[in-house]
Amino acid sequence: MPDQPTYDCFLSYSRHDDEPFVKKLRDALGKRGFKVWWDKAAMEARGTTFHDEIIEAIKDSRRLVLVCGPEAVKSTYVRQEWEYAQKFCKVINPILRLGDYNAECIPAPFLKENTPDFRQDIEFERKLAELERLLRSDDLPIGTLYGVPLLPTHYVTRQTALDAVEKLIRTDSFEPVVVTAKRQVTAVHGMGGIGKSVLAAALAQDCDIRRRFPDGIVWVAIGKTPEIATRLGDIGVTLGDSRDEYPDETRGKVALGRLLGEKSALIILDDVWQHAHADPFRVPSARSRILVTTRSRQLAMQIGAQEYRLDVLTEAEGLALFAERLDLDLGLDTPDEPDTGAVGAHPDAPAPIATLRAIIHELGGHTQAVALAAAQLAGEGVAYAPELLARLQKRRDGETPFKDLNLGDDDDRDFNLEAMLSLSYDDLPDDDLRLRFRALGVFALEGTFDAAAAGGVWGDGDVDDAADALRELERRSMIVRREDGRWALHGLVRTYARALARRAHELDDTLARHFGYYFRLHGDYDTNNDEDRHPLISIDFDNLRAALDWGFEHEPARAADLVVGFDYYMLLRESLTTQRTLLERGREAANAAGHAQGEASILLRIGNLNVREDRLSDARQNYEQALPIYETIGARLGQANTLVALGDLNVREDRLSDARQNYEQA
């Protein structure tokens, strides 16, 4: 249970409005039993920077009382305070001290809020009673975020899109409607790389949405090849169910329906490629909702969802991204005003805003491409903008160096991204970093990795060398760092990296190092019996699956051993469907390689799996196949374990004399 706030309210105000009034308000609230944070009492001066103690005080306060007036609207400090309160999902209670009920005296986000009128001192006691009622009202519970990624470091709000999707999700909150199956699911669709996942993450972190779904907001990465039963179980476990209720897709859907029927939760299915992957999550629930991100409008129609098409960046959004990334003052109130010719104060020579606009248009407003351009300018300086524009135009007039790349099944190429990514790739400082970028294409499409894993793929002896290279690629926006400190590539960027490695004839060797790293890390059965290691295996599981896809074909014996190595982890954390898929593939690989020990070990485990699913005759067959293999190779412990398993099976079928014989043999 989270700690209770120390303060009932935080007073946010401008000293240039009416500081004596704020002291009077603080004293009056204190007499009524409220514990109030007021900077004059808590700290002598705000100083030249926004103090950490102010941020901590806001986090440690139940509500923020915003004393509104002309100077409060202008104050950077006041704005920072209420923005931090919004970030922490604190309730904000505005009151009007000076001026009128308009945007010059009340910050725009609060114009429609209940704002007590404290302008007349004679009305102070009556208005104080009104404020007290507001402060004593119950706070709506805030839904916990589960697995929702943090927003990018240089995130720019796309407010129009956010408002539109929020309205779709909360339709029944705005209007009294019958909750149909269509209204339960909202799909955000659009081309790859334009920010669908970021939009979904921003929506999940919106405080109104979190209050609308008090039982939690659960992020589920789907991707191209998901294990649906496991993902269903992940939701169930997150929201308090037992994973045993989710052994396969059919029973998992039933269990999820029962669970969500009693809850108000938002399930975000990120990067869905097939409607069959979304269908199992669509269960009847009066208060829970599903948000899907996908590249395919057809998929959105197939699952009968409310649709929102996310488009490329507008010019205003693109300029905002440049301003944020480059820490620039554009010198415009709105990006649509006439061009004044300069970006504003910056240590580099100023670049015309017209040039930045032209870059946005040259890149078609493609979000990922504009982000790469902004990173390029951040490294080279704003004065580089005209040259960057010229290079982009040259590529549009000719061909990009990536035009001949074979993107394989992931072919979803976009010229704008291709042009900018090829420039970013060409401008990497040396061949070593280009090779490193190409090699990152072997990591799983939905997976993340740490510096040790990157170093393993790159062949680094020192993990610090790998970390340095990753930071340089991050600085150029070619990879991203997640909130847990791990790294990832955007799906389209990863596709290009992999294709580049294929063209350079490096892919097979890099895949071999990828497999070798995860085999060494997770291939030991005894080590993996320590359940403290299971969270690490879970984080790496997408990459383990990717490594096995290569290993089953190229190193089948070691791949079979790797499956056995994390069998206990799968028993506790993966669905029966996932276990069966990997065990069957492992058995085929061991058989093809003539790896008797591996084949017998997997047969024993498949038998145990069949017992769990009440497929007892199949289990007996598995055990009876494993036993002679163990006998032939002289693996006495394997024989004993298989005999015990047969004995347990015979007890279950009431064949007690056979069971006694099995146990005595064991």
Side-chain angles (χ1 to χ4, degrees):
M1 184 174 179
D3 294 335
Q4 293 300 311
T6 300
Y7 300 99
D8 295 301
C9 60
F10 177 106
L11 291 183
S12 178
Y13 69 103
S14 170
R15 292 179 179 175
H16 297 293
D17 277 331
D18 189 349
E19 188 174 331
F21 166 80
V22 179
K23 182 181 187 304
K24 178 181 178 181
L25 177 65
R26 178 253 193 174
D27 292 343
L29 288 172
K31 289 178 180 178
R32 283 159 176 76
F34 291 98
K35 189 170 183 181
V36 181
W37 195 95
W38 179 44
D39 64 338
K40 291 290 286 185
M43 51 192 295
E44 287 301 315
R46 288 174 175 169
T48 58
T49 61
F50 195 62
H51 283 291
D52 289 342
E53 54 257 52
I54 291 180
I55 297 174
E56 289 303 314
I58 293 171
K59 290 172 66 175
D60 205 20
S61 298
R62 180 168 161 259
R63 296 187 177 216
L64 181 141
V65 174
L66 178 58
V67 182
C68 297
E71 297 303 321
V73 171
K74 298 175 186 176
S75 170
T76 299
Y77 286 117
V78 172
R79 181 181 183 87
Q80 288 177 321
E81 286 166 358
W82 61 254
E83 283 182 343
Y84 270 99
Q86 287 182 322
K87 178 181 178 180
F88 302 134
C89 290
K90 302 296 182 179
V91 176
I92 298 175
N93 294 113
I95 64 174
L96 182 62
R97 173 55 182 169
L98 298 173
D100 297 314
Y101 281 89
N102 56 38
E104 294 180 358
C105 302
I106 300 175
F110 311 107
L111 280 171
K112 296 182 180 179
E113 297 294 327
N114 183 355
T115 305
D117 185 352
F118 277 85
R119 289 177 293 180
Q120 301 297 323
D121 288 338
I122 195 171
E123 293 282 299
F124 182 84
E125 290 299 328
R126 189 164 68 85
K127 294 301 178 180
L128 182 65
E130 182 181 345
L131 177 60
E132 181 178 358
R133 285 194 298 273
L134 291 173
L135 293 177
R136 294 197 186 280
S137 61
D138 292 335
D139 296 339
L140 293 174
I142 298 291
T144 301
L145 302 180
Y146 298 104
V148 176
L150 292 180
L151 297 174
T153 303
H154 302 289
Y155 168 71
V156 173
T157 302
R158 302 181 69 177
Q159 198 62 52
T160 300
L162 272 175
D163 291 344
V165 178
E166 180 176 353
K167 185 173 182 180
L168 288 174
I169 291 176
R170 301 178 66 219
T171 298
D172 54 315
S173 297
F174 292 113
E175 308 167 16
V177 296
V178 176
V179 182
T180 63
K182 183 180 181 71
R183 291 185 183 273
Q184 286 184 318
V185 184
T186 299
V188 176
H189 59 84
M191 70 174 72
I194 61 170
K196 299 181 295 295
S197 297
V198 173
L199 180 69
L203 187 83
Q205 295 173 46
D206 179 86
C207 297
D208 287 341
I209 285 290
R210 292 180 65 184
R211 291 187 181 97
R212 167 65 178 79
F213 299 104
D215 290 315
I217 299 174
V218 185
W219 187 277
V220 185
I222 300 296
K224 279 195 168 184
T225 57
E227 290 293 338
I228 296 300
T230 296
R231 300 288 82 83
L232 289 165
D234 290 344
I235 298 172
V237 170
T238 297
L239 297 180
D241 235 347
S242 166
R243 190 171 290 277
D244 291 341
E245 299 293 321
Y246 302 81
D248 53 46
E249 189 174 310
T250 300
R251 286 176 282 183
K253 180 173 183 176
V254 172
L256 185 66
R258 183 197 66 249
L259 180 68
L260 292 185
E262 303 171 353
K263 293 186 180 295
S264 180
L266 175 63
I267 310 300
I268 299 177
L269 307 179
D270 184 47
D271 193 26
V272 181
W273 287 74
Q274 298 179 32
H275 72 87
H277 294 160
D279 281 337
F281 299 89
R282 298 172 64 232
V283 297
S285 175
R287 295 180 295 144
S288 292
R289 299 289 179 269
I290 296 172
L291 175 63
V292 171
T293 71
T294 179
R295 299 184 190 182
S296 169
R297 188 192 175 196
Q298 181 182 7
L299 183 147
M301 296 170 65
Q302 287 173 326
I303 62 176
Q306 303 179 110
E307 299 177 37
Y308 180 79
R309 179 178 179 272
L310 184 63
D311 210 337
V312 296
L313 295 173
T314 64
E315 183 182 274
E317 290 168 339
L319 286 172
L321 195 155
F322 276 127
E324 171 65 27
R325 183 67 173 85
L326 304 175
D327 192 24
L328 296 177
D329 179 0
L330 292 177
L332 301 175
D333 291 332
T334 68
D336 296 325
E337 291 188 3
D339 191 353
T340 58
V343 173
H346 193 273
D348 298 302
I353 293 174
T355 305
L356 298 180
R357 286 187 170 124
I359 291 172
I360 295 165
H361 287 286
E362 193 67 30
L363 294 173
H366 190 285
T367 309
Q368 183 71 27
V370 175
L372 286 167
Q376 189 94 321
L377 293 179
E380 299 288 344
V382 183
Y384 178 68
E387 184 178 342
L388 176 59
L389 175 60
R391 294 178 70 192
L392 285 170
Q393 290 169 335
K394 185 177 179 180
R395 300 226 156 162
R396 182 170 294 281
D397 294 338
E399 292 184 349
T400 76
F402 290 177
K403 184 175 176 59
D404 66 334
L405 285 179
N406 174 15
L407 301 187
D409 295 338
D410 297 328
D411 196 342
D412 190 18
R413 66 196 330 133
D414 177 88
F415 175 84
N416 301 302
L417 176 62
E418 196 168 281
M420 190 60 235
L421 181 61
S422 66
L423 279 178
S424 298
Y425 176 75
D426 288 348
D427 288 343
L428 289 173
D430 51 48
D431 288 339
D432 177 68
L433 198 56
R434 280 186 281 274
L435 184 149
R436 288 173 182 269
F437 172 72
R438 295 192 296 268
L440 294 181
V442 301
F443 285 104
L445 191 59
E446 293 83 32
T448 63
F449 51 90
D450 57 16
V457 167
W458 289 336
D460 287 325
D462 188 341
V463 71
D464 289 340
D465 293 338
D468 289 343
L470 289 170
R471 282 191 289 270
E472 178 63 20
L473 291 169
E474 180 199 16
R475 187 182 69 77
R476 295 169 181 268
S477 289
M478 298 177 79
I479 63 175
V480 295
R481 194 198 305 245
R482 303 294 190 189
E483 64 275 13
D484 57 2
R486 293 169 67 87
W487 308 84
L489 284 76
H490 184 278
L492 276 177
V493 175
R494 180 260 194 191
T495 296
Y496 277 102
R498 193 179 185 94
L500 285 165
R502 186 184 297 114
R503 186 172 72 179
H505 306 292
E506 301 160 350
L507 187 58
D508 286 341
D509 288 344
T510 311
L511 286 166
R513 290 194 296 273
H514 180 266
F515 173 83
Y517 173 79
Y518 285 103
F519 181 86
R520 292 189 298 274
L521 187 62
H522 296 306
D524 186 80
Y525 178 82
D526 291 332
T527 301
N528 292 338
N529 277 344
D530 180 359
E531 293 180 23
D532 288 342
R533 291 197 79 252
H534 289 186
L536 174 61
I537 299 175
S538 182
I539 290 172
D540 283 337
F541 198 67
D542 286 324
N543 274 302
L544 273 168
R545 295 289 304 269
L548 284 169
D549 285 339
W550 181 89
F552 286 139
E553 181 177 353
H554 296 89
E555 292 202 34
R558 293 177 80 204
D561 288 343
L562 180 55
V563 172
V564 173
F566 58 81
D567 170 68
Y568 182 56
Y569 158 82
M570 289 198 295
L571 177 69
L572 297 184
R573 290 185 176 243
E574 298 293 326
S575 69
L576 298 182
T577 303
T578 299
Q579 294 176 59
R580 182 173 296 281
T581 298
L582 290 180
L583 287 171
E584 292 288 0
R585 292 186 69 192
R587 180 195 175 187
E588 292 171 6
N591 181 269
H595 181 27
Q597 175 80 44
E599 183 176 9
S601 296
I602 291 178
L603 280 167
L604 174 58
R605 285 159 175 80
I606 293 174
N608 295 340
L609 183 63
N610 281 326
V611 168
R612 291 175 63 198
E613 294 189 275
D614 271 336
R615 298 164 62 168
L616 302 187
S617 63
D618 290 341
R620 183 177 298 279
Q621 183 178 350
N622 298 138
Y623 296 147
E624 290 175 348
Q625 288 174 315
L627 194 57
I629 298 176
Y630 279 131
E631 291 172 350
T632 299
I633 62 177
R636 295 171 62 80
L637 181 59
Q639 286 179 259
N641 287 335
T642 307
L643 286 165
V644 169
L646 272 169
D648 293 344
L649 179 59
N650 282 325
V651 168
R652 184 163 177 166
E653 293 186 325
D654 210 24
R655 298 164 63 169
L656 302 186
S657 62
D658 290 340
R660 181 183 297 276
Q661 184 178 352
N662 295 139
Y663 294 146
E664 288 173 349
Q665 288 178 300

